[in-house]
Amino acid sequence: MTPNGWFQLALYLGVLLLLARPLGVYMAAVYEGVPSRWRRPGEVVERWMYRLCGVDPAEQMTWTRYAYGVLMFSVVSFLAVYLIQRCQALLPLNPQQLAAVTADSSFNTAISFMTNTNWQGYGGEVTMSYLSQMLALTVQNFVSAAVGMAVLVALIRGFRQTGTTGLGNFWVDLTRGTLYILLPLSFILALVLVSQGVVQTFSAYQTVPLMEAATTADGKTITEQTLPLGPAASQIAIKQLGTNGGGFYNVNSAHPFENPTPLSNFLQVLSILLIAAGLCHTFGVMVKDSRQGWALLAAMLVVFVPLTVGCALLEQQGTPQLAALGADLTASNLHPGGNMEGKETRFGIANSALWATATTAASNGSVNAMHDSFTPLGGLIPMWLMQLGEVIFGGAGSGLYGMVMFAIVTVFIAGLMVGRTPEYLGKKIEAYEMKMASIAILAPCAMVLVGTAIALMCTGGKATIFNPAVHGFSEVLYAVSSASNNNGSAVAGLGANTPFYNTLLGVAMLIGRFLTMLPVLAIAGSLSQKKHVPASAGTLPTHTPLFVVLVVAIVIIVGALNFFPALALGPIVEHLQMRA
Amino acid sequence: MLKNNTKAVTAEETRPDQAQQQIAIATDGWGTHIRAAIVSTIALVAILCGAYPLIVWGISQAIFPHNANGSLVYSADGKTVIGSELLSQAFAGEQYFHPRPSAAGSGHDPSSSGGTNLGPTSDKLLNGIADDPATADTDESYAGIKHLSEAYRKTNGLAVDAIVPADAVTRSASGVDPHISPANAKLQAARVGRSRGLSEADVLLIVEANTDRASFGFLGEPGVNVFMLNLALDRVKQ
């Protein structure tokens, strides 16, 4: 890579860390309900909403009641998205007159957006009307992220308070996260993106004559080009910030109308990790010990940075096959070189690799390059980042609560080593917490492995693997990993818009979302009733480099032990074949 | 306004039994959740799907009408739309610069965007597929990177073993990548100049004018906008 490529990676991390702290402090203030002049107009809307909903904002909820709120809200979201897609032909704002989406595809898409996965089995331009995109999908982009953040805040309250069963009010946390965090950030980002050329219009697709008529491979002459338009910018802003990733167009942020310039690319990839990084500081502020937030953020960076650098180097190196065919793979100021298959010129190698690791470290899943065409090991990195359970930054809220589960396991294991009852943030970690944390960590892992096995044993699963042999296996593994960990990125070489995959991946997404979220809330409920144990000489401090190393080790050991055999069958074999 | 809910329960200030008294913890009335879920969904739809995109739309149409509508390019008389600054079109003629190979639809179709999604060791990607002579009415052939690089060398009069820029022989992610690398453009300049009766130096000047540099000098990679470049060349001739 060129020195400029390295500089861009460093700049990215610098800006991310610089913005994370103030945003984290602000988010803590929002969830604590600290009054602010800036939010006064929003408070009017807030009060009005509580009145309509029949919610008493002062009410405190037990963990079961909080969880019931989450589930009820998710069910309503699912039904709304499902029904809108099924009826889109009858509804307005459908200038392309697209037909109703099929039942299995609607089922999959409704779960996908409700669970903050945004796996897209369909192609945006040819399936979804403007209304479906706006009404069904945009709203889920906001609220699925806000739900994740709300659950995180409930968990933090569980650590912080003693002798109560109240974890806050789900409806209040949901509303505030949406109105004061996601909405203002999206609004600013959307406008900047439009200034770069991301479209925001309600006009129908525009057909233009080609400058030079083209002849296709099968001899047909094409004289026109159809420009897909639509209200894209407003959706793209929240798809990045809310770690959703569901694009407006088929190729997501590789499409020039969705991500036209290097600046729009930088802001979009920054938005992927911004809230997740900020929430680490929110965590520190809310537990009244900033170092705790820094420690978790540091653990995430320790995993993220080397993997990003590795991915960039592997993609720049390209493949011996490309070199043999005479492609120049060395980067220079005049061309990007490297494995440019499925990558855009304006982003080159550095920005494509950075996006690939950021989008899979966070459970975003948007892409600006085609992961399917990455080199075997370059593509292994994004896949493994998802399989780590989406805890390296992870989804909005869900990433950090996943990481806290790993922190709980870490103090438990460290406690076993020295023979003391483990504590985290002054709360005793006992059998109940360990059971719940294990479920939260292992349920998505099990779904990945079992789901992949099912797909490979069924004709329905094997029918739509377009790349043969080892790469085909990698594609299935990638798809199920993506769904089970609520990431949503895809290697599109797998034809996933079939009843089989729509159903399998739909179930995987449900398990990945709720079998982590519910144990997390259960832990919050259990911890909130426990007394604070003052730190003693035997307490493992959880803000030190030693603790960071331990957490990282646990995350990697769990990820490696679970998935190394599967990865060995896919990308690793493919790498060896490529080099042979 | 809602300060009393969590503030009161920090460990230092309150003993557990007092905290219990201060805060009413509701465990009944599960049904209220159903109403809250439905009503809040509707209210949030109004804000997030109604107000939010409409306000973004209104402001962007007012401040950035060109960018918000697809960065459209108009014909010389300003009457008809002939393309977008941001999207490539298929060019195959001698007198035009050629964009990167495309896998979007039947080629450079922005409404059916896509890459090949073929793995790096795929035989189809590397060596392509030949037409099956048994089926005369359908064409199964697919150009692999091998064919693309052979064609690129032939078109531009390069030696048969010449090294070519990677972007010239690989299909982009979107299939409508508007750019080619400056190195790629440089290799095509002589051919375009010859067919238009322009000197290579003149063509390179126009290439230079249509090169998008890295933003702020460091973000992204430089690229030559093929559609804008070809348009500029056509307009020079007129």
Short mmCIF file of all heavy atoms in Angstrom, two decimals, chain A residues 427-481:
data_model
loop_
_atom_site.label_atom_id
_atom_site.label_comp_id
_atom_site.label_asym_id
_atom_site.label_seq_id
_atom_site.Cartn_x
_atom_site.Cartn_y
_atom_site.Cartn_z
N LYS A 427 -20.01 -5.74 41.51
CA LYS A 427 -21.10 -6.70 41.67
C LYS A 427 -20.53 -8.12 41.59
O LYS A 427 -19.72 -8.42 40.70
CB LYS A 427 -22.16 -6.51 40.58
CG LYS A 427 -22.93 -5.20 40.68
CD LYS A 427 -23.86 -5.20 41.88
CE LYS A 427 -24.57 -3.87 42.03
NZ LYS A 427 -25.90 -3.83 41.45
N LYS A 428 -20.98 -8.96 42.51
CA LYS A 428 -20.54 -10.36 42.50
C LYS A 428 -21.09 -11.07 41.27
O LYS A 428 -22.28 -10.99 40.96
CB LYS A 428 -21.05 -11.07 43.75
CG LYS A 428 -20.17 -10.90 44.96
CD LYS A 428 -20.37 -12.08 45.91
CE LYS A 428 -19.31 -12.10 46.98
NZ LYS A 428 -19.59 -11.18 48.10
N ILE A 429 -20.22 -11.78 40.58
CA ILE A 429 -20.66 -12.58 39.43
C ILE A 429 -20.81 -14.02 39.91
O ILE A 429 -19.85 -14.65 40.33
CB ILE A 429 -19.62 -12.52 38.30
CG1 ILE A 429 -19.37 -11.08 37.88
CG2 ILE A 429 -20.05 -13.37 37.10
CD1 ILE A 429 -20.56 -10.34 37.36
N GLU A 430 -22.03 -14.51 39.87
CA GLU A 430 -22.28 -15.85 40.40
C GLU A 430 -22.82 -16.78 39.32
O GLU A 430 -22.83 -16.42 38.14
CB GLU A 430 -23.24 -15.74 41.59
CG GLU A 430 -22.54 -15.07 42.77
CD GLU A 430 -23.49 -14.60 43.84
OE1 GLU A 430 -24.40 -13.81 43.54
OE2 GLU A 430 -23.33 -15.02 44.98
N ALA A 431 -23.27 -17.94 39.72
CA ALA A 431 -23.65 -18.97 38.75
C ALA A 431 -24.70 -18.46 37.76
O ALA A 431 -24.60 -18.70 36.56
CB ALA A 431 -24.18 -20.21 39.48
N TYR A 432 -25.69 -17.72 38.27
CA TYR A 432 -26.78 -17.28 37.39
C TYR A 432 -26.24 -16.38 36.26
O TYR A 432 -26.56 -16.56 35.09
CB TYR A 432 -27.81 -16.52 38.23
CG TYR A 432 -29.00 -16.04 37.45
CD1 TYR A 432 -29.99 -16.94 37.06
CD2 TYR A 432 -29.14 -14.70 37.09
CE1 TYR A 432 -31.09 -16.50 36.34
CE2 TYR A 432 -30.24 -14.25 36.37
CZ TYR A 432 -31.21 -15.16 36.00
OH TYR A 432 -32.30 -14.73 35.27
N GLU A 433 -25.39 -15.43 36.65
CA GLU A 433 -24.84 -14.52 35.64
C GLU A 433 -24.00 -15.29 34.62
O GLU A 433 -24.04 -15.01 33.42
CB GLU A 433 -23.96 -13.44 36.29
CG GLU A 433 -24.73 -12.35 37.03
CD GLU A 433 -25.21 -12.80 38.39
OE1 GLU A 433 -24.59 -13.73 38.95
OE2 GLU A 433 -26.20 -12.25 38.89
N MET A 434 -23.23 -16.26 35.13
CA MET A 434 -22.39 -17.02 34.22
C MET A 434 -23.22 -17.83 33.23
O MET A 434 -22.89 -17.93 32.04
CB MET A 434 -21.47 -17.97 35.01
CG MET A 434 -20.16 -17.35 35.39
SD MET A 434 -19.34 -16.58 33.99
CE MET A 434 -18.95 -18.03 33.01
N LYS A 435 -24.32 -18.42 33.74
CA LYS A 435 -25.17 -19.20 32.83
C LYS A 435 -25.72 -18.30 31.73
O LYS A 435 -25.70 -18.65 30.55
CB LYS A 435 -26.34 -19.83 33.61
CG LYS A 435 -25.95 -21.06 34.39
CD LYS A 435 -27.18 -21.60 35.12
CE LYS A 435 -26.76 -22.44 36.31
NZ LYS A 435 -27.81 -22.55 37.33
N MET A 436 -26.22 -17.14 32.15
CA MET A 436 -26.83 -16.24 31.17
C MET A 436 -25.78 -15.73 30.17
O MET A 436 -26.04 -15.66 28.97
CB MET A 436 -27.49 -15.05 31.89
CG MET A 436 -28.72 -15.44 32.66
SD MET A 436 -29.97 -16.10 31.53
CE MET A 436 -30.83 -17.24 32.58
N ALA A 437 -24.60 -15.37 30.68
CA ALA A 437 -23.55 -14.87 29.78
C ALA A 437 -23.16 -15.96 28.78
O ALA A 437 -22.90 -15.68 27.61
CB ALA A 437 -22.34 -14.41 30.58
N SER A 438 -23.11 -17.22 29.26
CA SER A 438 -22.75 -18.31 28.35
C SER A 438 -23.78 -18.47 27.25
O SER A 438 -23.43 -18.67 26.08
CB SER A 438 -22.62 -19.62 29.13
OG SER A 438 -21.72 -19.47 30.18
N ILE A 439 -25.07 -18.36 27.62
CA ILE A 439 -26.11 -18.46 26.59
C ILE A 439 -25.92 -17.35 25.57
O ILE A 439 -25.93 -17.57 24.35
CB ILE A 439 -27.52 -18.37 27.21
CG1 ILE A 439 -27.78 -19.59 28.09
CG2 ILE A 439 -28.58 -18.26 26.12
CD1 ILE A 439 -29.11 -19.53 28.84
N ALA A 440 -25.72 -16.13 26.08
CA ALA A 440 -25.61 -14.98 25.17
C ALA A 440 -24.43 -15.15 24.22
O ALA A 440 -24.50 -14.76 23.06
CB ALA A 440 -25.47 -13.68 25.97
N ILE A 441 -23.35 -15.72 24.70
CA ILE A 441 -22.16 -15.85 23.86
C ILE A 441 -22.29 -17.05 22.92
O ILE A 441 -21.92 -16.98 21.75
CB ILE A 441 -20.90 -15.98 24.74
CG1 ILE A 441 -20.61 -14.64 25.41
CG2 ILE A 441 -19.70 -16.43 23.91
CD1 ILE A 441 -19.51 -14.70 26.45
N LEU A 442 -22.83 -18.16 23.44
CA LEU A 442 -22.78 -19.39 22.65
C LEU A 442 -23.96 -19.59 21.70
O LEU A 442 -23.82 -20.30 20.70
CB LEU A 442 -22.66 -20.60 23.58
CG LEU A 442 -21.33 -20.65 24.34
CD1 LEU A 442 -21.29 -21.83 25.27
CD2 LEU A 442 -20.14 -20.67 23.39
N ALA A 443 -25.10 -18.95 21.96
CA ALA A 443 -26.26 -19.18 21.09
C ALA A 443 -25.97 -18.81 19.64
O ALA A 443 -26.22 -19.61 18.73
CB ALA A 443 -27.49 -18.44 21.62
N PRO A 444 -25.42 -17.60 19.38
CA PRO A 444 -25.13 -17.29 17.97
C PRO A 444 -24.07 -18.22 17.37
O PRO A 444 -24.18 -18.61 16.20
CB PRO A 444 -24.62 -15.85 18.00
CG PRO A 444 -25.03 -15.30 19.31
CD PRO A 444 -25.11 -16.46 20.25
N CYS A 445 -23.06 -18.60 18.17
CA CYS A 445 -22.03 -19.52 17.67
C CYS A 445 -22.66 -20.82 17.21
O CYS A 445 -22.37 -21.34 16.12
CB CYS A 445 -21.01 -19.84 18.75
SG CYS A 445 -20.08 -18.44 19.33
N ALA A 446 -23.53 -21.37 18.07
CA ALA A 446 -24.18 -22.64 17.74
C ALA A 446 -25.01 -22.49 16.48
O ALA A 446 -25.01 -23.37 15.61
CB ALA A 446 -25.04 -23.09 18.91
N MET A 447 -25.70 -21.38 16.37
CA MET A 447 -26.55 -21.16 15.19
C MET A 447 -25.71 -21.14 13.91
O MET A 447 -26.11 -21.68 12.89
CB MET A 447 -27.32 -19.84 15.37
CG MET A 447 -28.35 -19.59 14.30
SD MET A 447 -29.64 -20.87 14.22
CE MET A 447 -29.76 -21.11 12.45
N VAL A 448 -24.53 -20.52 13.98
CA VAL A 448 -23.66 -20.45 12.79
C VAL A 448 -23.30 -21.86 12.35
O VAL A 448 -23.47 -22.23 11.18
CB VAL A 448 -22.36 -19.67 13.10
CG1 VAL A 448 -21.40 -19.77 11.90
CG2 VAL A 448 -22.66 -18.23 13.41
N LEU A 449 -22.83 -22.66 13.30
CA LEU A 449 -22.32 -23.99 12.92
C LEU A 449 -23.45 -24.91 12.52
O LEU A 449 -23.38 -25.60 11.49
CB LEU A 449 -21.50 -24.57 14.07
CG LEU A 449 -20.24 -23.75 14.40
CD1 LEU A 449 -19.56 -24.28 15.65
CD2 LEU A 449 -19.28 -23.72 13.23
N VAL A 450 -24.53 -24.93 13.31
CA VAL A 450 -25.65 -25.82 12.99
C VAL A 450 -26.32 -25.37 11.70
O VAL A 450 -26.65 -26.18 10.82
CB VAL A 450 -26.65 -25.86 14.16
CG1 VAL A 450 -27.88 -26.66 13.78
CG2 VAL A 450 -25.99 -26.45 15.40
N GLY A 451 -26.50 -24.06 11.56
CA GLY A 451 -27.16 -23.52 10.37
C GLY A 451 -26.39 -23.86 9.10
O GLY A 451 -26.96 -24.25 8.08
N THR A 452 -25.06 -23.70 9.16
CA THR A 452 -24.24 -24.03 7.98
C THR A 452 -24.36 -25.51 7.65
O THR A 452 -24.51 -25.89 6.49
CB THR A 452 -22.76 -23.69 8.25
OG1 THR A 452 -22.69 -22.33 8.69
CG2 THR A 452 -21.92 -23.85 7.01
N ALA A 453 -24.34 -26.34 8.70
CA ALA A 453 -24.45 -27.78 8.47
C ALA A 453 -25.79 -28.11 7.82
O ALA A 453 -25.85 -28.90 6.87
CB ALA A 453 -24.30 -28.53 9.80
N ILE A 454 -26.86 -27.49 8.31
CA ILE A 454 -28.18 -27.77 7.73
C ILE A 454 -28.20 -27.37 6.26
O ILE A 454 -28.64 -28.12 5.39
CB ILE A 454 -29.28 -27.00 8.50
CG1 ILE A 454 -29.44 -27.58 9.91
CG2 ILE A 454 -30.61 -27.04 7.75
CD1 ILE A 454 -30.40 -26.81 10.78
N ALA A 455 -27.68 -26.18 5.98
CA ALA A 455 -27.71 -25.69 4.59
C ALA A 455 -26.97 -26.64 3.66
O ALA A 455 -27.40 -26.88 2.53
CB ALA A 455 -27.12 -24.29 4.51
N LEU A 456 -25.87 -27.19 4.14
CA LEU A 456 -25.06 -28.04 3.26
C LEU A 456 -25.62 -29.44 3.13
O LEU A 456 -25.23 -30.19 2.24
CB LEU A 456 -23.62 -28.11 3.78
CG LEU A 456 -22.88 -26.78 3.68
CD1 LEU A 456 -21.57 -26.83 4.39
CD2 LEU A 456 -22.70 -26.39 2.22
N MET A 457 -26.55 -29.80 4.01
CA MET A 457 -27.13 -31.13 3.92
C MET A 457 -28.43 -31.14 3.14
O MET A 457 -28.96 -32.20 2.82
CB MET A 457 -27.34 -31.72 5.32
CG MET A 457 -26.02 -32.15 5.94
SD MET A 457 -26.23 -33.07 7.46
CE MET A 457 -26.85 -31.84 8.54
N CYS A 458 -28.99 -29.95 2.85
CA CYS A 458 -30.28 -29.90 2.17
C CYS A 458 -30.09 -29.54 0.71
O CYS A 458 -29.22 -28.73 0.38
CB CYS A 458 -31.19 -28.84 2.80
SG CYS A 458 -31.61 -29.21 4.48
N THR A 459 -30.92 -30.08 -0.15
CA THR A 459 -30.84 -29.71 -1.55
C THR A 459 -31.15 -28.22 -1.72
O THR A 459 -30.52 -27.54 -2.53
CB THR A 459 -31.84 -30.52 -2.41
OG1 THR A 459 -32.99 -30.73 -1.62
CG2 THR A 459 -31.24 -31.82 -2.86
N GLY A 460 -32.12 -27.73 -0.93
CA GLY A 460 -32.47 -26.31 -1.02
C GLY A 460 -31.29 -25.42 -0.71
O GLY A 460 -31.16 -24.32 -1.24
N GLY A 461 -30.42 -25.89 0.18
CA GLY A 461 -29.27 -25.09 0.56
C GLY A 461 -28.17 -25.14 -0.48
O GLY A 461 -27.46 -24.17 -0.69
N LYS A 462 -28.05 -26.28 -1.15
CA LYS A 462 -26.95 -26.44 -2.10
C LYS A 462 -27.29 -25.91 -3.48
O LYS A 462 -26.42 -25.62 -4.28
CB LYS A 462 -26.55 -27.92 -2.20
CG LYS A 462 -25.76 -28.39 -0.98
CD LYS A 462 -25.27 -29.81 -1.13
CE LYS A 462 -26.40 -30.81 -1.00
NZ LYS A 462 -25.96 -32.19 -0.90
N ALA A 463 -28.62 -25.76 -3.74
CA ALA A 463 -29.06 -25.44 -5.11
C ALA A 463 -28.55 -24.09 -5.59
O ALA A 463 -28.30 -23.91 -6.77
CB ALA A 463 -30.58 -25.48 -5.18
N THR A 464 -28.38 -23.14 -4.68
CA THR A 464 -28.09 -21.78 -5.15
C THR A 464 -26.67 -21.34 -4.81
O THR A 464 -26.39 -20.16 -4.69
CB THR A 464 -29.10 -20.78 -4.56
OG1 THR A 464 -29.15 -20.97 -3.15
CG2 THR A 464 -30.47 -20.97 -5.15
N ILE A 465 -25.77 -22.31 -4.62
CA ILE A 465 -24.36 -21.95 -4.44
C ILE A 465 -23.75 -21.81 -5.83
O ILE A 465 -23.62 -22.79 -6.55
CB ILE A 465 -23.62 -23.05 -3.64
CG1 ILE A 465 -24.28 -23.22 -2.27
CG2 ILE A 465 -22.15 -22.69 -3.49
CD1 ILE A 465 -23.70 -24.36 -1.46
N PHE A 466 -23.40 -20.59 -6.22
CA PHE A 466 -22.96 -20.38 -7.59
C PHE A 466 -21.47 -20.64 -7.77
O PHE A 466 -21.03 -20.97 -8.86
CB PHE A 466 -23.30 -18.96 -8.05
CG PHE A 466 -24.78 -18.70 -8.06
CD1 PHE A 466 -25.31 -17.51 -7.59
CD2 PHE A 466 -25.65 -19.67 -8.54
CE1 PHE A 466 -26.68 -17.30 -7.59
CE2 PHE A 466 -27.02 -19.46 -8.55
CZ PHE A 466 -27.53 -18.27 -8.08
N ASN A 467 -20.68 -20.42 -6.72
CA ASN A 467 -19.26 -20.72 -6.84
C ASN A 467 -19.05 -22.15 -6.39
O ASN A 467 -19.55 -22.57 -5.34
CB ASN A 467 -18.43 -19.79 -5.95
CG ASN A 467 -18.16 -18.46 -6.62
OD1 ASN A 467 -17.50 -18.41 -7.66
ND2 ASN A 467 -18.68 -17.40 -6.05
N PRO A 468 -18.33 -22.94 -7.14
CA PRO A 468 -18.21 -24.35 -6.79
C PRO A 468 -17.25 -24.58 -5.62
O PRO A 468 -16.49 -23.69 -5.23
CB PRO A 468 -17.66 -24.98 -8.07
CG PRO A 468 -16.92 -23.86 -8.74
CD PRO A 468 -17.61 -22.59 -8.36
N ALA A 469 -17.31 -25.77 -5.07
CA ALA A 469 -16.32 -26.31 -4.13
C ALA A 469 -16.10 -25.44 -2.90
O ALA A 469 -17.02 -24.97 -2.28
CB ALA A 469 -15.02 -26.61 -4.85
N VAL A 470 -14.83 -25.22 -2.58
CA VAL A 470 -14.45 -24.61 -1.31
C VAL A 470 -15.02 -23.21 -1.16
O VAL A 470 -15.52 -22.84 -0.10
CB VAL A 470 -12.91 -24.56 -1.24
CG1 VAL A 470 -12.48 -23.86 0.01
CG2 VAL A 470 -12.37 -25.97 -1.27
N HIS A 471 -14.98 -22.44 -2.23
CA HIS A 471 -15.47 -21.07 -2.12
C HIS A 471 -16.97 -21.06 -1.85
O HIS A 471 -17.48 -20.20 -1.12
CB HIS A 471 -15.14 -20.28 -3.39
CG HIS A 471 -15.31 -18.80 -3.22
ND1 HIS A 471 -14.43 -18.03 -2.52
CD2 HIS A 471 -16.31 -17.97 -3.62
CE1 HIS A 471 -14.85 -16.78 -2.51
NE2 HIS A 471 -15.99 -16.71 -3.16
N GLY A 472 -17.68 -22.04 -2.42
CA GLY A 472 -19.11 -22.16 -2.16
C GLY A 472 -19.39 -22.42 -0.70
O GLY A 472 -20.32 -21.86 -0.11
N PHE A 473 -18.57 -23.26 -0.07
CA PHE A 473 -18.71 -23.52 1.37
C PHE A 473 -18.49 -22.22 2.16
O PHE A 473 -19.25 -21.90 3.07
CB PHE A 473 -17.71 -24.59 1.82
CG PHE A 473 -17.65 -24.75 3.31
CD1 PHE A 473 -18.65 -25.44 3.99
CD2 PHE A 473 -16.62 -24.18 4.04
CE1 PHE A 473 -18.60 -25.57 5.37
CE2 PHE A 473 -16.57 -24.30 5.42
CZ PHE A 473 -17.56 -25.00 6.08
N SER A 474 -17.46 -21.49 1.78
CA SER A 474 -17.19 -20.22 2.46
C SER A 474 -18.39 -19.28 2.37
O SER A 474 -18.72 -18.57 3.31
CB SER A 474 -15.98 -19.51 1.85
OG SER A 474 -14.83 -20.29 1.98
N GLU A 475 -19.04 -19.30 1.22
CA GLU A 475 -20.19 -18.40 1.03
C GLU A 475 -21.33 -18.73 1.98
O GLU A 475 -21.94 -17.84 2.57
CB GLU A 475 -20.68 -18.48 -0.41
CG GLU A 475 -19.75 -17.78 -1.39
CD GLU A 475 -20.19 -17.96 -2.84
OE1 GLU A 475 -21.12 -18.75 -3.09
OE2 GLU A 475 -19.59 -17.33 -3.69
N VAL A 476 -21.60 -20.04 2.11
CA VAL A 476 -22.68 -20.44 3.01
C VAL A 476 -22.31 -20.09 4.45
O VAL A 476 -23.11 -19.53 5.21
CB VAL A 476 -22.97 -21.95 2.88
CG1 VAL A 476 -24.01 -22.39 3.89
CG2 VAL A 476 -23.44 -22.28 1.48
N LEU A 477 -21.06 -20.39 4.82
CA LEU A 477 -20.60 -20.09 6.18
C LEU A 477 -20.70 -18.59 6.45
O LEU A 477 -21.14 -18.16 7.52
CB LEU A 477 -19.15 -20.57 6.34
CG LEU A 477 -18.50 -20.37 7.71
CD1 LEU A 477 -19.24 -21.17 8.77
CD2 LEU A 477 -17.03 -20.77 7.67
N TYR A 478 -20.31 -17.79 5.46
CA TYR A 478 -20.36 -16.35 5.60
C TYR A 478 -21.80 -15.89 5.80
O TYR A 478 -22.11 -15.09 6.70
CB TYR A 478 -19.77 -15.69 4.36
CG TYR A 478 -19.51 -14.21 4.51
CD1 TYR A 478 -18.22 -13.73 4.70
CD2 TYR A 478 -20.55 -13.27 4.46
CE1 TYR A 478 -17.97 -12.38 4.85
CE2 TYR A 478 -20.30 -11.92 4.60
CZ TYR A 478 -19.01 -11.48 4.79
OH TYR A 478 -18.78 -10.14 4.95
N ALA A 479 -22.72 -16.41 4.98
CA ALA A 479 -24.11 -15.97 5.06
C ALA A 479 -24.71 -16.31 6.42
O ALA A 479 -25.36 -15.46 7.05
CB ALA A 479 -24.93 -16.63 3.95
N VAL A 480 -24.48 -17.53 6.90
CA VAL A 480 -25.08 -17.91 8.18
C VAL A 480 -24.40 -17.15 9.33
O VAL A 480 -25.06 -16.75 10.29
CB VAL A 480 -25.02 -19.44 8.38
CG1 VAL A 480 -25.75 -19.84 9.65
CG2 VAL A 480 -25.63 -20.17 7.21
N SER A 481 -23.09 -16.92 9.23
CA SER A 481 -22.41 -16.13 10.25
C SER A 481 -22.99 -14.72 10.30
O SER A 481 -23.23 -14.17 11.37
CB SER A 481 -20.91 -15.99 9.93
OG SER A 481 -20.30 -17.25 9.90
#
